[in-house]
Amino acid sequence: MVEETGIFKVEIITRDGKFYELQKALKEVGITGITVTNALGTGLQKGELELYRGVKHDSSVFERIKIEIVVHDVPVDTVIDVTKHVLGTGQPGDGKIFVYPIVRVVDIRTGNEGREAL
């Protein structure tokens, strides 16, 4: 049986246009540590037919960022609400939020586990 740690990973995939606004809003609710990765992906958005050097090209892959946050002191619902408020435009491509329970955390340097590892 997997023990509940109360630690969660929140993964946000979105456009990069409002990243700094989101970072500021998350900092105001107590989230200071985040990881950001450039990402490419497809979804329900329609691609556009582009002309590049005389050749038609279907651009259905979009540039996005993936923001990863480990949440333990701030309620996950607060992180979700802040993210939806900052990033939500009502248009396709606003992004997705995924929440995963963290089963175990180990600090490589100290060997600490759980909340002490964070």
Side-chain angles (χ1 to χ4, degrees), residues 11-16 35-42 45 60-68 98:
E11 190 174 274
I12 304 159
I13 299 176
T14 189
R15 298 182 195 101
D16 65 352
T35 301
V36 181
T37 309
N38 289 318
L40 296 173
T42 62
Q45 282 182 283
S60 59
V61 177
F62 297 95
E63 290 184 10
R64 297 288 184 252
I65 59 172
K66 179 168 68 170
I67 303 163
E68 297 170 281
F98 302 94

Side-chain angles (χ1 to χ4, degrees), residues 3-6 9 12 15 17 20-21 29 34 41 43 47 52 57 61 65-66 73 83 88 90 101 103 107-108 110:
E3 185 178 322
E4 179 66 39
T5 63
K9 178 180 176 184
I12 304 159
R15 298 182 195 101
Y20 292 107
E21 186 180 340
V29 297
I34 63 174
Y52 179 72
H57 176 68
V61 177
I65 59 172
K66 179 168 68 170
D73 289 333
T83 302
V103 176
D107 184 321
I108 296 171
T110 65

Side-chain angles (χ1 to χ4, degrees), residues 13-62:
I13 299 176
T14 189
R15 298 182 195 101
D16 65 352
K18 292 187 176 183
F19 168 69
Y20 292 107
E21 186 180 340
L22 177 63
Q23 183 182 24
K24 181 180 176 186
L26 289 171
K27 195 171 196 176
E28 289 173 3
V29 297
I31 301 294
T32 56
I34 63 174
T35 301
V36 181
T37 309
N38 289 318
L40 296 173
T42 62
L44 297 175
Q45 282 182 283
K46 303 282 190 239
E48 295 178 1
L49 197 58
E50 296 178 344
L51 192 61
Y52 179 72
R53 294 188 178 185
V55 178
K56 292 181 182 178
H57 176 68
D58 180 20
S59 63
S60 59
V61 177
F62 297 95

